[in-house]
């Protein structure tokens, strides 16, 4: 299937992945997990919602937890360049017959919300309340010392169409996994805006669902330390995969599940992709190094489980990718 062409003058300017909004069933337990075990910092909270951020972030929040009857992903948030980009985004959505609305969101400036053609619920904003970063407040560090939100990874039922849509918005392909042969189909794609491997990864599967969101940590030792923290804080069974290293992105990783099953990746050691002539790297779908350069292979849950988007119907994928799955 075709690799999309890079577009350097998109219809509006998305800067980077910014924040995720999750519905959780036990707000107190989820807050404790993300604040005390993982190590995010609570900025504001009440009995219905908790706003958290990582040490390096100036923005008010990169994770929003909302109390709900059932777990789900409510929104994926992206920051745009300026307020005019929100109007340009609205024009693009209107021209492509996609519904949108401007919504008031706490601690954010004007926010545009829409559902893309594949059921992923997105919000865009240009301005968010600022907070002093906590990078040098080592006295506040907990868990794995998360520094910043890095990316989202989703299950898409129509992976090629989803890749093509986000390429139109200026997302640039860095790495992809493809079936072998002359008619090989792309089964996963890693796309970026900010100049590293990805802001948005798109994986073939039942969708729309969130596979995971990821925070960057300073070193691999921080990730290993989180394993010790989880083992001693009652969450050892929530460690799903890792630690290990991906071939794709070169990431040193750990995947954990929060109390509602939302998947979080802790992540470090990827690389710079900002040059305009950066060529995407192809991986054979049958190459086990793409998933696991070293470490235990991915369990079946990692391929099959994810968080639905609030109110969206999950669809079967257009094709079933032949991937290597650990028994």
């Amino acid at each position: 299937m075709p690799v999309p062409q890079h577009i350097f003058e998109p219809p509006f300017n998305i800067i980077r992945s910014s924040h995720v909004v999750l519905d959780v069933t036990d707000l107190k337990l989820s807050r404790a997990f993300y604040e005390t075990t993982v190590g995010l910092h609570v900025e504001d909270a009440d009995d219905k919602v908790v706003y958290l951020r990582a040490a390096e972030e100036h923005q008010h929040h990169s994770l929003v937890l909302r109390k709900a009857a059932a777990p789900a992903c409510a929104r994926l948030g992206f920051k745009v360049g300026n307020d005019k980009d929100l109007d340009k985004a609205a024009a693009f959505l209107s021209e492509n017959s996609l519904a949108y609305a401007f919504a008031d969101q706490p601690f954010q400036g004007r926010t545009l919300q829409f559902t893309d053609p594949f059921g992923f619920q997105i919000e865009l904003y240009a301005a968010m309340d600022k907070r002093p970063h906590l990078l040098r407040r080592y006295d506040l560090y907990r868990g794995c010392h998360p520094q910043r939100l890095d990316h989202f990874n989703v299950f898409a039922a129509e992976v090629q169409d989803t890749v093509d849509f986000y390429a139109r918005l200026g997302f640039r392909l860095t790495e992809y996994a493809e079936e072998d042969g002359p008619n090989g189909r792309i089964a996963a794609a890693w796309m970026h805006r900010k100049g590293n491997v990805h802001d948005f990864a798109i994986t073939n599967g039942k969708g729309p669902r969130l596979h995971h969101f990821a925070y960057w940590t300073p070193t691999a030792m921080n990730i290993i330390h989180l394993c010790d923290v989880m083992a001693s804080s009652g969450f050892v069974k929530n460690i799903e995969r890792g630690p290990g290293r991906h071939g794709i992105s070169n990431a040193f990783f750990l995947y954990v599940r929060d109390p509602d099953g939302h998947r979080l990746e802790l992540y470090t050691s990827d690389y710079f992709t900002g040059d305009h002539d950066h060529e995407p790297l192809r991986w054979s779908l049958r190459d086990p190094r793409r998933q696991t350069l070293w470490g235990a292979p991915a369990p079946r849950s990692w391929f099959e489980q994810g968080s639905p988007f609030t109110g969206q119907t999950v669809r079967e994928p257009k094709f079933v990718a032949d991937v290597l799955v650990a028994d």
Side-chain angles (χ1 to χ4, degrees), residues 6-280:
H6 291 170
I7 295 175
F8 297 106
E9 295 184 1
F12 53 95
N13 183 23
I14 293 175
I15 300 295
R16 59 175 173 83
S17 53
S18 167
H19 60 278
V20 59
V21 183
L22 298 180
D23 288 344
V24 300
T25 57
D26 187 328
L27 190 61
K28 183 178 180 180
L29 183 61
S30 293
R31 171 178 173 162
F33 176 80
Y34 285 106
E35 181 182 21
T36 304
T37 300
V38 175
L40 295 176
H41 303 271
V42 172
E43 281 300 316
D44 283 278
D46 58 28
D47 60 353
K48 295 182 180 179
V49 62
V50 179
Y51 297 87
L52 305 100
R53 66 179 173 122
E56 187 183 317
E57 294 171 334
H58 287 278
Q59 67 191 50
H60 178 271
H61 55 267
S62 55
L63 174 62
V64 182
L65 304 174
R66 309 190 313 184
K67 184 174 177 56
C73 179
R75 296 280 171 189
L76 302 178
F78 293 91
K79 182 178 175 65
V80 300
N82 57 50
D83 204 59
K84 292 181 180 178
D85 283 307
L86 296 175
D87 296 317
K88 292 177 182 178
F92 172 85
L93 295 168
S94 180
E95 290 165 5
N96 287 273
S97 302
L98 294 172
Y100 66 89
F102 285 97
D104 292 328
Q105 293 297 302
F107 311 108
Q108 293 174 203
R110 199 162 60 121
T111 299
L112 186 153
Q113 296 181 338
F114 69 97
T115 301
D116 76 9
F118 317 101
F120 299 109
Q121 295 171 180
I122 307 296
E123 68 179 30
L124 308 174
Y125 76 97
M128 185 185 289
D129 288 1
K130 299 292 187 186
R131 294 291 188 270
H133 74 54
L134 303 171
L135 182 62
R136 297 172 187 86
R137 287 298 308 274
Y138 296 108
D139 56 314
L140 300 179
Y141 278 28
R142 292 178 174 178
C144 62
H145 307 172
Q147 300 293 292
R148 60 184 179 272
L149 185 137
D150 187 82
H151 64 263
F152 313 122
N153 186 309
V154 298
F155 282 121
E158 303 88 9
V159 65
Q160 181 73 50
D161 293 339
T162 309
V163 169
D164 291 342
F165 177 81
Y166 282 92
R168 291 175 64 195
L169 303 187
F171 285 80
R172 306 209 296 271
L173 187 68
T174 57
E175 303 194 27
Y176 63 103
E178 185 180 45
E179 296 174 317
D180 294 329
N183 299 312
R185 296 165 292 192
I186 292 176
W190 286 254
M191 308 183 81
H192 80 93
R193 287 297 296 161
K194 65 179 180 296
N196 69 343
V197 174
H198 52 324
D199 288 277
F200 196 47
I202 300 162
T203 302
N204 185 68
K206 295 179 181 179
R209 292 181 297 160
L210 176 67
H211 185 276
H212 69 265
F213 63 106
Y215 278 90
W216 174 273
T217 69
T219 71
M221 286 304 301
N222 297 97
I223 292 172
I224 293 171
H225 176 62
L226 181 60
C227 295
D228 287 333
V229 173
M230 293 183 70
S232 57
S233 59
F235 288 110
V236 68
K237 292 183 179 180
N238 294 61
I239 298 174
E240 180 184 35
R241 181 185 177 195
R245 187 176 296 278
H246 292 308
I248 287 177
S249 80
N250 194 54
F252 190 94
F253 67 84
L254 178 73
Y255 293 91
V256 304
R257 308 293 287 271
D258 78 2
D260 280 291
H262 298 302
R263 183 181 289 108
L264 168 66
E265 180 186 17
L266 293 314
Y267 170 93
T268 193
S269 300
D270 65 347
Y271 58 90
F272 174 74
T273 63
D275 288 347
H276 282 202
D277 57 355
H278 179 84
E279 292 290 335

Side-chain angles (χ1 to χ4, degrees), residues 276-307:
H276 282 202
D277 57 355
H278 179 84
E279 292 290 335
L281 175 63
R282 179 191 181 275
W283 292 83
S284 167
L285 200 57
R286 303 303 297 167
D287 186 345
R289 298 173 303 164
R290 67 180 185 88
Q291 297 171 5
T292 311
L293 195 64
W294 64 262
R300 186 169 296 277
S301 62
W302 194 83
F303 293 100
E304 296 182 352
Q305 296 176 11
S307 301

